Amino acid sequence: MSPMNLDTILRTELAALESASLLRSLRAADRVMLNFAANDYLGLSHHPALIEASRKATAQSGAGAGASRLVTGTDSAVLALESALAAWKEKEAALVFSSGYAAALGTIPALVGAGDTVILDKLAHASLIDAARLSGATVRTFLHNDPARLDALLTKIAPAGKRVLILTESIFSMDGDAASLRELVALKNRHGAWLLVDEAHATGLYSANGAGLVAEAGLSAQVEIVLGTLSKALGSVGGYIAGSRPLIDTLINRARSFIYSTALPPGAIAASHAAIDLCQTPEGASLRERLWGNVARFHAGLPAHWKRATLSSSAIQPLICGQASTALEFAAQLREQGFLIPAIRYPTVPRHTARLRITLSAAHGDKDIDALTRALMLSPPP
Ligand SMILES: Cc1ncc(COP(=O)(O)O)c(C=O)c1O
């Protein structure tokens, strides 16, 4: 029997995606556009302190780390970064991974497995879903931000002697709303479960020193596992877990995405450390203030024909369009006018909730925000 032709099959599948307006493709981003797509919420990716730290570390220690940390040993700069992260996150210890995705993929299967249960908020990020599936535990979801549903699920499961791990984001990546962290903590305590909070979109932005939403809520001691990324407000690349010493020691021994993957390059480690330091200075506070000012300006200027119910107080502003084709059309119109804004479609968000995902940054000036709200005036209402 002759084998089926790979390219023929893939072309058919890609055509089906395209006809459903769900095809993704890579576009060169070298045309100068106003960027409302990145997660660089404080504009740190271009901050001179990060660039200089990265340049110096690269010149001193090279462009790459060379191997996994368990093979070559750990550079003292990485240990210093992890100490800084742990102190900032009000935790005993921290461990850096090559990305936030890798942190989830390594950590969750290291803690739970067959016979255990992972419960996720229905809108939790793909990295958490993939990690939960990889763990082999039973995977359940609860209605987005609905602690009552979680309570009911926890009551029903009640597994004797088995582990239950709850996964949520603190600021949700595609909606920008916040989890009810206090209620989640109360529930996990009552039911004897563990809680992992993904602070990808909160790190650098909340609490007096920017540590995140868990710290702002005064819950650092109660949340067993804090996950995050160095790639969004911190302007660099990499992921991390902050938690107890036994948790971190367990991950060093069991998290496969840590053990079997090359360490981050010295430049990224140095840039991340500079970003964490900067977040805790008055300059960091004033960048956060600038960001929240931009959020307020965007809310005030957004034309009335856009649904306002889904706007958030975070840096992430979803404008719901419904159909994928409508979101694509709006994104293309805005691109023509020089605005980089992604159309977010299924499977990143549920079907029929396709949206423009606008992200605001301290790097935007008043003129940029006003230009955006003017452009949204021109777009036909969804
Ligand atoms: C909520 C959330 N968690 C984790 C990640 C993954 O982080 P990273 O980009 O560092 O892999 C992302 C980013 O895409 C995210 O939005």
Side-chain angles (χ1 to χ4, degrees), residues 40 78 86 333 368:
D40 187 12
V78 184
Q333 272 184 32
D368 302 329

Side-chain angles (χ1 to χ4, degrees), residues 16-372:
L17 279 177
E18 183 158 30
S19 66
S21 299
L22 295 176
L23 184 70
R24 271 94 165 147
S25 56
L26 297 175
R27 195 178 297 113
D30 33 17
R31 181 182 149 206
V32 177
M33 303 244 267
L34 263 179
N35 188 337
F36 288 99
N39 302 309
D40 187 12
Y41 303 121
L42 298 176
L44 293 190
S45 72
H46 285 74
H47 194 288
L50 272 73
I51 293 172
E52 182 53 18
S54 166
R55 197 195 59 72
K56 247 173 138 174
T58 304
Q60 252 169 31
S61 308
S68 159
R69 286 163 65 182
L70 290 171
V71 173
T72 48
T74 289
D75 194 297
S76 60
V78 184
L79 296 175
L81 169 63
E82 289 173 340
S83 294
L85 258 172
W88 194 35
K89 292 282 173 179
E90 302 170 345
K91 288 293 193 188
E92 214 175 356
L95 189 69
V96 167
F97 290 73
S98 55
S99 69
Y101 192 99
L105 233 60
T107 299
I108 294 161
L111 300 176
V112 289
D116 299 325
T117 304
V118 178
I119 308 180
L120 303 100
D121 183 290
K122 189 118 186 145
L123 295 188
H125 190 255
S127 55
L128 301 177
I129 298 170
D130 293 355
R133 287 180 179 152
L134 183 66
S135 76
T138 303
V139 179
R140 311 291 297 267
T141 58
F142 63 98
L143 200 64
H144 174 54
N145 247 342
D146 190 337
R149 298 291 183 98
L150 173 61
D151 191 16
L153 203 52
L154 285 164
T155 306
K156 205 164 80 188
I157 293 169
K162 292 294 182 188
R163 302 170 180 195
V164 178
L165 176 62
I166 301 164
L167 309 180
T168 186
E169 297 173 43
S170 53
I171 294 291
F172 284 86
S173 62
M174 295 299 139
D175 292 80
D177 56 339
S180 318
L181 290 179
R182 274 176 214 292
E183 288 170 86
L184 295 184
V185 163
L187 281 176
K188 69 100 186 165
N189 284 341
R190 176 138 49 85
H191 290 276
W194 300 331
L195 178 62
L196 178 152
V197 178
D198 180 344
E199 291 253 67
H201 298 275
T203 296
L205 304 182
Y206 297 92
S207 87
N209 66 359
L213 214 54
V214 171
E216 180 168 277
L219 295 171
S220 302
Q222 304 241 32
V223 174
E224 286 89 354
I225 310 146
V226 175
L227 181 152
T229 170
L230 306 166
S231 64
K232 302 193 191 299
L234 299 183
S236 174
V237 68
Y240 65 85
I241 293 286
S244 66
R245 189 71 251 170
L247 171 68
I248 299 306
D249 288 344
T250 298
L251 297 182
I252 292 168
N253 284 276
R254 283 212 205 128
R256 294 171 66 84
S257 62
F258 172 80
I259 299 168
Y260 298 106
S261 188
T262 299
L264 282 167
I269 296 293
S272 297
H273 200 150
I276 290 168
D277 288 347
L278 200 146
C279 280
Q280 300 178 75
T281 64
E283 185 185 353
S286 81
L287 286 172
R288 286 189 284 279
E289 220 169 276
R290 168 90 219 150
L291 169 63
W292 304 135
N294 282 343
V295 171
R297 194 173 186 94
F298 174 76
H299 285 181
L302 183 69
H305 63 247
W306 289 96
K307 292 188 196 87
R308 305 182 74 82
T310 58
L311 295 184
S312 84
S313 61
S314 77
I316 301 162
Q317 304 297 326
L319 295 181
I320 307 294
C321 304
Q323 296 308 315
S325 54
T326 314
L328 279 180
E329 223 170 89
F330 283 145
Q333 272 184 32
L334 290 161
R335 196 163 52 245
E336 278 304 299
Q337 297 176 56
F339 297 92
L340 186 62
I341 297 172
I344 306 287
R345 297 160 284 160
Y346 176 84
T348 307
V349 293
R351 285 188 196 278
H352 312 301
T353 70
R355 65 200 63 187
L356 297 176
R357 176 182 183 264
I358 293 169
T359 46
L360 301 172
S361 166
H364 293 131
D366 289 353
K367 274 201 322 230
D368 302 329
I369 306 291
D370 294 348
L372 173 64

